[in-house]
Amino acid sequence: MTSAEKAKSEPLIDLQRLVVSIRRRRRLWVATALLGLIIGGLVAVFLPSPPTAVAQILVIHPDDSPTDSGTLMRTDVAVLQTTKIATEALKKLNSTQAPEEFLKDYEGLGLTNNVLQLTVKAKSKDEALARAQAICDAFITEYIARNQAAAAAQQKALLDQRNQAQNELTPIEAAIVAEEAKNRNANPAQLERLYARRAELNSKISDYDGRAQEAGIGTPKVAAGTQIVDAPRILPRSFLKTLATDAGIGFALGLLAGLGLAAVTSVIKDRPVLRREISRHLGASVIAQLPEPPRFLRRSRAAARRQRVATTLVRAVRQPGGQVSLLDLGARKVTAALAVDMARELAAKGPVSLVDDLPKADLRTLAGEGRIRVLDPGDVPLSGHERRIGVGSVEPGTSWTELEFLGEETILVVRAGYANTEWLHTVARQLADRHIPIIGVVVVDPDPRDHTDGTLWDGLHTALRGRAARPMPKPVEMFPREKKNGYPTPYKRAKEVANADQPTKRFAPVSPDNAEAL
């Protein structure tokens, strides 16, 4: 599979990398969760919820039935939260508050098909009780008046229909009397039709009278049954319960905000955290990894682990003599300590020196008194039997032209999640331009659950298996030396480099035909 096919097959968002990035940013979302917890507690202490009064109203519906699914009660709740009820309640309270603002202070809830619960908030307990009572009275008054008006309108409509039937019955009665007065000349068929029509109208009149009476009787039942069954009272509130609730809500919101922020930043910043990503972007295999150094406890265990990694790196270095460099990217202390451990490992086999080009590392203090010399860049040139370890940095702002004087080969010490993908590519390109092969990568502070493969299967010129198959070249001196009385004298690198001819490269001119290909 080619690199282009690999790029096409990669998902837009790597879920494994996203999970690892969020887990590595646990300090962020833990901090936001704790901040939300503290803010929630402070809100409960300094901004307590206002007093709340609760009342329950029994509502009798004229058209209530066992099959009702709560539609009538939902209608009552909607009517309760209208400006008409709010205005009537404010009139009872003699308040000048706007009805629209008053609606925000109370709400209704249908507990059953006939029980309505009212919740009112106010600045004080007395005000909350007074508001609840006024709202209940306004709702009951409006509800009874509405039902009475509906019953009166229905009764009037029934009475009007009865009167219309009676008016229609009067000519029918007159026609029957006139037909019966003919005695033997009366038409039996006509009388039969008139008798049937009179009976039908009498039935309608009787029905209209009964329904009108029922409509009038229904209103007293509604007026007597609709009432306050639970008088307004203040809800008891526990300070500890309120504190726990507000703190829990703040903790949950802070945690969600922190997780969301960690996920978004991990996608936007594009900082590789998996070994397979680091090795792919740097073009070198991961040969070792070290956890983040502890600050207080288990320092001896961390030192032993670092010593084992130093032994592994010493074995990976190809030349028995010459220079090798350790270049830091986000793990300055680990790089300096690892270089000192490698120098001590090599000091048992011959002279070794450390070239300190790592800012704020203080290699002299770490090396201590012993056979390890700590030099500055450009000091005494390399002798034929001396081994040197250059310690430098490839963080942003690095002087790339000085890296080749630190070592012919390099080992990169990279902190996981420190640099973004573009900077890893920049480091790999600059080292390739300087003809400095990368022996391998030491990953610092990797994810404990990262089981990805950090080995490259292409590029034998940098892989350890390819290095083992090539013969070791003879060590060469980085700079010529002059001898005086049998002892080497320092070579004036700055002057010679300034006077030497600088290498140049010739580039073919770019024509319009091959510009796109180039």
Side-chain angles (χ1 to χ4, degrees):
M1 182 182 292
T2 62
S3 58
E5 293 176 349
K6 290 181 181 178
K8 291 181 180 179
S9 63
E10 290 181 357
L12 181 61
I13 297 178
D14 191 349
L15 294 181
Q16 182 181 6
R17 174 185 173 185
L18 181 62
V19 172
V20 172
S21 299
I22 293 176
R23 188 164 56 241
R24 290 180 62 86
R25 289 179 171 84
R26 55 186 175 271
R27 293 182 180 178
L28 172 63
W29 48 265
V30 168
T32 55
L34 293 178
L35 181 61
L37 179 68
I38 295 173
I39 293 176
L42 294 177
V43 168
V45 173
F46 296 101
L47 297 175
S49 58
T52 304
V54 177
Q56 293 181 358
I57 305 173
L58 178 62
V59 183
I60 301 300
H61 300 111
D63 300 329
D64 197 2
S65 64
T67 59
D68 181 46
S69 60
T71 305
L72 298 176
M73 180 53 65
R74 287 196 293 270
T75 302
D76 295 335
V77 172
V79 172
L80 178 68
Q81 298 175 343
T82 58
T83 56
K84 181 179 180 180
I85 302 297
T87 302
E88 294 297 329
L90 290 173
K91 288 181 180 179
K92 294 179 179 294
L93 295 171
N94 296 324
S95 176
T96 58
Q97 185 179 5
E100 292 78 9
E101 296 294 330
F102 186 55
L103 287 173
K104 300 178 182 178
D105 296 336
Y106 73 91
E107 61 180 3
L109 176 64
L111 300 180
T112 65
N113 289 347
N114 296 100
V115 178
L116 174 63
Q117 178 176 290
L118 175 66
T119 305
V120 185
K121 296 181 180 180
K123 296 181 180 179
S124 62
K125 295 181 180 181
D126 295 337
E127 185 180 359
L129 293 174
R131 286 188 170 190
Q133 186 66 42
I135 294 172
C136 290
D137 294 340
F139 173 77
I140 292 174
T141 301
E142 191 277 338
Y143 181 77
I144 293 175
R146 178 158 42 90
N147 280 273
Q148 287 179 348
Q154 185 179 4
Q155 186 179 21
K156 183 178 181 304
L158 292 172
L159 293 176
D160 291 341
Q161 291 180 358
R162 185 200 63 179
N163 296 332
Q164 184 179 358
Q166 287 180 348
N167 295 332
E168 186 179 354
L169 179 62
T170 300
I172 296 295
E173 291 286 353
I176 291 175
V177 171
E179 192 68 27
E180 287 179 348
K182 295 180 181 180
N183 296 327
R184 296 182 179 182
N185 295 329
N187 188 352
Q190 182 68 18
L191 285 175
E192 186 68 23
R193 287 194 297 272
L194 292 174
Y195 290 152
R197 181 60 179 166
R198 184 178 63 180
E200 181 182 357
L201 290 175
N202 287 330
S203 177
K204 285 185 177 181
I205 292 171
S206 177
D207 181 54
Y208 288 148
D209 284 335
R211 291 171 61 184
Q213 291 178 1
E214 290 180 359
I217 295 173
T219 301
K221 294 181 180 179
V222 172
T226 303
Q227 58 184 336
I228 301 174
V229 294
D230 190 1
R233 70 185 191 279
I234 299 297
L235 280 179
R237 288 187 177 274
S238 174
F239 175 74
L240 295 179
K241 185 177 180 180
T242 304
L243 179 63
T245 302
D246 294 348
I249 295 175
F251 179 82
L253 294 178
L255 180 61
L256 292 177
L259 291 175
L261 182 61
V264 171
T265 53
S266 63
V267 174
I268 294 176
K269 292 184 178 180
D270 190 20
R271 294 182 177 181
V273 293
L274 301 178
R275 290 184 295 182
R276 67 184 180 193
E277 295 179 333
I278 295 175
S279 62
R280 183 174 70 250
H281 294 309
L282 287 176
S285 300
V286 176
I287 58 177
Q289 64 181 23
L290 285 172
E292 186 177 8
R295 297 182 179 181
F296 303 104
L297 303 176
R298 298 182 180 180
R299 292 188 176 183
S300 59
R301 182 181 299 181
R305 186 176 301 177
R306 191 179 63 245
Q307 181 63 37
R308 290 195 298 269
V309 173
T311 303
T312 302
L313 298 182
V314 169
R315 295 172 182 173
V317 177
R318 178 160 56 93
Q319 291 92 341
Q323 282 185 293
V324 65
S325 63
L326 263 70
L327 299 181
D328 163 67
L329 186 57
R332 183 180 295 109
K333 294 182 179 180
V334 176
T335 304
L338 195 59
V340 173
D341 291 340
M342 290 180 63
R344 290 172 180 171
E345 186 77 16
L346 293 172
K349 302 178 182 179
V352 61
S353 299
L354 289 174
V355 180
D356 185 8
D357 196 22
L358 185 61
K360 301 179 182 179
D362 198 7
L363 286 179
R364 286 183 172 83
T365 304
L366 293 176
E369 298 294 335
R371 294 183 295 176
I372 302 175
R373 294 192 306 164
V374 179
L375 307 175
D376 293 328
D379 281 354
V380 180
L382 181 67
S383 63
H385 301 285
E386 184 184 14
R387 193 62 181 271
R388 284 192 179 179
I389 301 176
V391 186
S393 173
V394 287
E395 293 185 358
T398 300
S399 177
W400 303 107
T401 57
E402 298 295 329
L403 295 181
E404 57 191 14
F405 299 107
L406 294 178
E408 303 168 359
E409 297 178 318
T410 186
I411 297 174
L412 295 178
V413 183
V414 181
R415 179 180 292 275
Y418 178 79
N420 55 18
T421 302
E422 295 181 355
W423 187 251
L424 293 181
H425 289 176
T426 301
V427 172
R429 289 195 301 267
Q430 291 291 343
L431 293 177
D433 291 342
R434 297 294 166 186
H435 303 288
I436 302 176
I438 303 175
I439 298 175
V441 180
V442 178
V443 179
V444 179
D445 191 21
D447 186 75
R449 300 180 184 179
D450 180 14
H451 302 292
T452 59
D453 187 10
T455 305
L456 295 182
W457 293 101
D458 51 358
L460 290 177
H461 60 287
T462 57
L464 295 181
R465 63 185 186 279
R467 292 167 55 82
R470 297 196 305 268
M472 297 182 182
K474 295 182 180 180
V476 296
E477 296 184 359
M478 294 297 296
F479 306 103
R481 291 166 173 75
E482 297 178 359
K483 291 188 177 180
K484 182 178 182 181
N485 298 328
Y487 295 97
T489 58
Y491 178 70
K492 300 178 181 179
R493 185 182 64 173
K495 181 177 180 180
E496 293 295 333
V497 169
N499 295 332
D501 294 335
Q502 299 297 327
T504 59
K505 295 183 180 180
R506 295 181 178 271
F507 296 91
V510 179
S511 61
D513 296 334
N514 62 353
E516 182 177 1
L518 291 176

